[in-house]
Amino acid sequence: MALKVFKDICNNLRETWPDIVNVAIYHRLGNVPVSEASVVIAISSPHRQTALSAVEHAINKLKEMAPIWKKEEYAPGTHTDAQWKENSELPPPKQEHLSELDPSMIQINSSHEEVFSNIKAFMAYRKKMNNKDNMKTYCLRKAEERPEYSCCRVDAVGRRVISTQAEIQYRKEHYDETPGTDCNSNSGKTKTKRSASSKEASSRQLIQGQCRQSNTTGSDSPDTQRYLLKQSTTTPVTHDDPNIPFGISERLSLIEHHVGIKPSGPNGDLYVRLKQIEDKIIQIEDDCEEYLRQKNYFRKYEPLSNLTCPVISSHDRKPQHVKPRVFSIEDIDEKLMYLKSQLSLAGNDDQSGDSDS
Amino acid sequence: MPEKEVVLTVLFFAKAKDLSGTVQSTITLKSPIDYSSLLNTVVNQFNLNPLRHSLILALNEEYLEDSQQVLDLNNNDCLAIIPPISGGTYLINTIKVPY
């Protein structure tokens, strides 16, 4: 069969390079000592270019096709068994019928043992890396100081997290119903049922209060103002609702834009829009544990006892300087309850016979 | 094509020879047969599983290139088990003849 392959190679050569004169392929069999050649290919042609490229092609083809094997035998005492060698030119192995398989399935050609040993090795590697990581994170020791039987479970040192760079890892639990969302949605709904006049009045009051508050929290630095100005040119801000002052509508739109809520439109119910923002805050809090930790840290040192809207009389325009505060959902709930009670009072004043209040 | 039983001569080379422990053997098969069934039968019968995904079959001194083909076998056909080949050496000395 090898000779047949040689013959094929010869024919192939003569087809490719018609000016070849003679071809000789000689392959040695039996023992071939180290450093001796085992194959000779000689090709003659009128010009050297033909012969050189033909020889190269011939040897590559021979290595790929000719069924000749080589077994390397090593000197006694090297502890290596004789091995059959493989070419890199080895033809691609026959594939199974891939087209008939479900494309969502994976076909594994390796043997059962191989797959399992791979999985085992991978698991061991991950475990090792995890251990190493945990040791680095929780055990405040240098590698060389660690006793042999130390591990992060018995050797961990807790770190207090003050900055946003959290070092301690947490487990995050997902609940379908976040406590607080129900309450919020209820209050939102009840508010939308109120009469239009009182609703708008109170909403304006609320937002004005918030505006002042945000003014006093130092957000009106020149940079922020410039940013807001720039933003307002890019975001569509309209103020069709005559009952909402332009500034409030704009700010609300900007907030919605900033936190990534698709605005329900400038004419949308203010309470619906506020509800959306609240929902977004809840979502952000749930997603970002670092934020929660930071919030709890601030809470510890600056209890938010007075959460009522700062009522500032119209002539008192001078902004107060207050430290920035972070509000939790409970705080917002509290505030909403407060506003609700205010609203019902206002509703009583406006419509004394309202059975709803 | 009528189904018939055929007896093939099987030749083993290199690693396949080591695994099967013999140079030559015979196998009884049903013809016609497709490539993968033939490969499976040979691998299982002669303990060639380590070579399962790298060996090539040659029938009557011709490589079987197409793994989809259905083979029509005859009695005394010669089936060669071709493990990865390694003819020649890795170091090629090209002797340049002066012109």
Side-chain angles (χ1 to χ4, degrees):
Chain A
M1 185 170 170
L3 293 176
K4 205 168 168 180
V5 169
F6 285 5
K7 191 85 189 160
D8 285 348
I9 292 170
C10 288
N11 293 337
N12 191 271
L13 288 177
R14 286 189 187 279
E15 269 171 41
T16 319
W17 293 276
D19 57 335
I20 284 174
V21 182
N22 289 309
V23 179
I25 300 175
Y26 172 82
H27 205 296
R28 190 171 165 179
L29 297 177
N31 274 337
V32 180
V34 173
S35 86
E36 283 186 14
S38 59
V39 59
V40 173
I41 299 174
I43 297 174
S44 59
S45 68
H47 301 287
R48 69 176 184 281
Q49 196 52 54
T50 304
L52 288 174
S53 38
V55 166
E56 190 183 352
H57 181 263
I59 185 70
N60 287 338
K61 208 73 193 161
L62 184 146
K63 289 236 166 207
E64 185 192 323
M65 300 298 291
I68 298 171
W69 293 269
K70 173 174 68 182
K71 189 177 194 177
E72 288 190 350
E73 289 178 357
Y74 306 104
T78 48
H79 303 292
T80 312
D81 289 335
Q83 282 176 7
W84 289 104
K85 303 304 282 185
E86 291 180 16
N87 274 348
S88 56
E89 289 96 339
L90 127 107
K94 305 282 181 187
Q95 293 297 313
E96 304 291 314
H97 299 260
L98 285 168
S99 52
E100 290 168 17
L101 292 172
D102 180 354
S104 67
M105 308 286 275
I106 304 168
Q107 193 188 29
I108 297 170
N109 280 326
S110 313
S111 69
H112 197 261
E113 294 79 32
E114 196 183 340
V115 169
F116 272 84
S117 75
N118 278 350
I119 291 172
K120 216 172 152 188
F122 176 77
M123 298 283 280
Y125 173 75
R126 287 309 314 169
K127 214 168 169 179
K128 201 177 140 198
M129 293 309 287
N130 273 347
N131 264 340
K132 212 172 149 188
D133 269 6
N134 285 338
M135 292 285 265
K136 214 165 149 188
T137 313
Y138 300 121
C139 306
L140 303 173
R141 294 185 197 186
K142 287 178 186 136
E144 62 267 21
E145 287 173 6
R146 263 176 221 142
E148 195 185 344
Y149 297 108
S150 157
C151 86
C152 52
R153 288 185 188 82
V154 297
D155 233 5
V157 179
R159 283 190 195 177
R160 232 180 104 199
V161 182
I162 294 167
S163 66
T164 51
Q165 283 192 328
E167 293 277 353
I168 292 171
Q169 290 156 17
Y170 340 51
R171 180 192 300 275
K172 187 157 79 175
E173 302 285 353
H174 285 283
Y175 299 105
D176 291 336
E177 289 283 328
T178 317
T181 39
D182 261 358
C183 170
N184 273 333
S185 64
N186 282 343
S187 58
K189 270 173 203 159
T190 46
K191 270 178 190 170
T192 52
K193 281 178 198 160
R194 302 278 168 188
S195 64
S197 61
S198 65
K199 180 183 74 187
E200 275 154 17
S202 64
S203 71
R204 235 172 302 163
Q205 189 198 351
L206 165 71
I207 290 166
Q208 273 169 354
Q210 280 183 342
C211 288
R212 295 230 181 81
Q213 206 178 339
S214 69
N215 271 343
T216 59
T217 56
S219 71
D220 56 347
S221 65
D223 278 349
T224 325
Q225 277 180 339
R226 217 174 299 132
Y227 170 73
L228 286 175
L229 226 62
K230 212 172 87 191
Q231 284 285 306
S232 61
T233 54
T234 52
T235 48
V237 179
T238 50
H239 48 108
D240 294 343
D241 193 343
N243 290 319
I244 305 172
F246 171 70
I248 290 163
S249 174
E250 183 193 32
R251 274 168 182 265
L252 207 53
S253 296
L254 287 173
I255 290 166
E256 284 171 341
H257 181 74
H258 187 70
V259 296
I261 301 169
K262 199 182 169 197
S264 53
N267 290 329
D269 192 327
L270 262 180
Y271 284 99
V272 175
R273 294 172 74 178
L274 282 175
K275 173 72 172 66
Q276 281 181 333
I277 294 170
E278 284 165 4
D279 285 349
K280 191 74 184 181
I281 290 169
I282 291 166
Q283 192 205 327
I284 291 168
E285 280 191 342
D286 280 353
D287 288 350
C288 180
E289 288 140 346
E290 281 191 26
Y291 169 76
L292 268 181
R293 287 192 70 82
Q294 198 189 12
K295 185 190 71 183
N296 289 338
Y297 171 75
F298 276 124
R299 269 171 75 85
K300 205 186 286 173
Y301 290 91
E302 190 187 336
L304 302 170
S305 51
N306 186 11
L307 256 170
T308 56
C309 288
V311 182
I312 301 166
S313 54
S314 55
H315 57 268
D316 183 17
R317 287 277 172 192
K318 199 178 174 186
Q320 278 177 283
H321 287 285
V322 183
K323 269 181 88 178
R325 291 193 289 185
V326 184
F327 299 99
S328 71
I329 289 303
E330 292 86 359
D331 298 334
I332 292 168
D333 277 349
E334 215 177 308
K335 193 167 181 171
L336 279 170
M337 291 305 286
Y338 170 78
L339 285 168
K340 210 166 143 187
S341 65
Q342 292 274 304
L343 194 66
S344 59
L345 280 177
N348 271 344
D349 289 348
D350 287 354
Q351 307 154 20
S352 48
D354 196 353
S355 60
D356 191 34
S357 52
Chain B
M1 208 177 295
E3 198 170 283
K4 59 183 175 182
E5 282 214 333
V6 292
V7 180
L8 302 186
T9 306
V10 190
L11 302 175
F12 302 94
F13 296 96
K15 186 120 189 248
K17 186 167 73 186
D18 294 352
L19 288 169
S20 66
T22 180
V23 179
Q24 187 175 342
S25 180
T26 54
I27 187 170
T28 309
L29 289 164
K30 279 194 164 55
S31 170
I33 188 168
D34 64 38
Y35 183 89
S36 50
S37 315
L38 179 62
L39 183 70
N40 279 334
T41 314
V42 173
V43 163
N44 292 335
Q45 188 158 338
F46 297 104
N47 192 28
L48 301 175
N49 215 37
L51 286 173
R52 175 93 173 66
H53 301 289
S54 57
L55 65 78
I56 299 175
L57 299 178
L59 185 64
N60 297 329
E61 305 197 351
E62 294 280 352
Y63 286 122
L64 297 174
E65 307 276 1
D66 182 8
S67 63
Q68 310 277 328
Q69 77 186 109
V70 176
L71 304 159
D72 184 24
L73 304 174
N74 294 306
N75 267 323
N76 300 322
D77 275 357
C78 180
L79 185 71
I81 313 297
I82 313 281
I85 55 186
S86 60
T89 58
Y90 287 99
L91 291 169
I92 303 162
N93 298 315
T94 308
I95 304 157
K96 292 205 169 133
V97 183
Y99 297 97

